[in-house]
């Protein structure tokens, strides 16, 4: 795959229009994009991009189905593959807003914190 193809894939993945925006999404300065265009795209930057793709895939697979209702919250349907049962969870409007913000902006650190909080809550209610 050529650098130009990688750049196109990166922009599409992050839903941005410029390589400078890609650089920022990967934690680099906007000036890094100039070096990348000059043929200095490092394996480290490619590895960070591959990790971001893998993390997104993992996040996407965490939810089987998610239904949102306009302003009234939503329902999360999970299927337990071990005992083939369905579990429905009602989501508050605030949680739906949070999830939609994550979907729009992809804040991985925010999602990690939220996931950690959910695991603590899950432990308390068992």
């Amino acid at each position: 795959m050529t650098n130009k193809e990688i750049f196109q894939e990166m922009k599409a993945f992050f839903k941005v229009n410029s390589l400078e925006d890609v650089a920022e999404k990967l934690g680099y300065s906007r000036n890094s994009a100039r070096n990348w265009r000059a043929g200095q795209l490092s394996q480290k930057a490619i590895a960070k991009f591959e990790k971001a793709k893998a993390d997104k895939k993992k996040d996407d697979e965490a939810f089987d189905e998610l239904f949102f209702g306009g302003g009234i919250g939503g329902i999360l349907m999970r299927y337990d593959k071990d005992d083939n049962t369905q579990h429905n969870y009602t989501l508050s409007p605030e949680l739906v807003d949070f999830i939609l913000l994550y979907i729009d902006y992809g804040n991985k650190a925010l999602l990690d914190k939220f996931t950690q909080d959910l695991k603590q809550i899950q432990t308390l209610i068992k």
Side-chain angles (χ1 to χ4, degrees), residues 89 118-126:
Y89 304 93
L118 274 183
K119 286 179 183 173
Q120 289 176 351
I121 291 169
Q122 183 181 24
T123 302
L124 292 173
I125 61 174
K126 280 189 174 183

Side-chain angles (χ1 to χ4, degrees), residues 23-35:
E24 283 186 339
K25 294 278 188 184
L26 291 174
Y28 293 99
S29 72
R30 294 180 68 82
N31 289 333
S32 297
R34 185 174 357 122
N35 295 333

Side-chain angles (χ1 to χ4, degrees), residues 3 6-7 10 26 35-46:
N3 279 356
I6 293 171
F7 298 156
M10 288 174 156
L26 291 174
N35 295 333
W36 295 351
R37 283 190 191 97
Q40 298 173 9
L41 180 62
S42 69
Q43 288 302 314
K44 185 176 178 181
I46 293 172

Side-chain angles (χ1 to χ4, degrees), residues 5-116:
E5 292 169 327
I6 293 171
F7 298 156
Q8 290 302 323
E9 182 182 355
M10 288 174 156
K11 288 191 285 187
F13 175 79
F14 288 117
K15 298 178 183 163
V16 297
N17 295 319
S18 73
L19 198 54
E20 287 77 10
D21 290 336
V22 169
E24 283 186 339
K25 294 278 188 184
L26 291 174
Y28 293 99
S29 72
R30 294 180 68 82
N31 289 333
S32 297
R34 185 174 357 122
N35 295 333
W36 295 351
R37 283 190 191 97
Q40 298 173 9
L41 180 62
S42 69
Q43 288 302 314
K44 185 176 178 181
I46 293 172
K48 278 182 137 181
F49 174 59
E50 291 300 326
K51 182 176 183 330
K53 288 193 319 186
D55 287 347
K56 182 173 182 341
K57 182 177 183 213
K58 184 178 171 186
D59 292 342
D60 289 348
E61 291 170 353
F63 297 108
D64 291 317
E65 294 184 45
L66 198 53
F67 299 96
F68 297 115
I72 60 169
I75 297 172
L76 168 66
M77 291 176 57
R78 299 269 337 216
Y79 295 95
D80 189 332
K81 295 175 177 98
D82 294 332
D83 63 8
N84 201 27
T85 57
Q86 176 180 317
H87 305 275
N88 297 335
Y89 304 93
T90 302
L91 307 178
S92 70
E94 295 81 9
L95 182 56
V96 171
D97 289 344
F98 175 89
I99 292 169
L100 291 174
L101 281 172
Y102 171 73
I103 290 169
D104 288 342
Y105 299 102
N107 187 333
K108 181 76 174 115
L110 189 60
L111 182 64
D112 288 344
K113 170 76 170 100
F114 174 71
T115 303
Q116 183 180 38

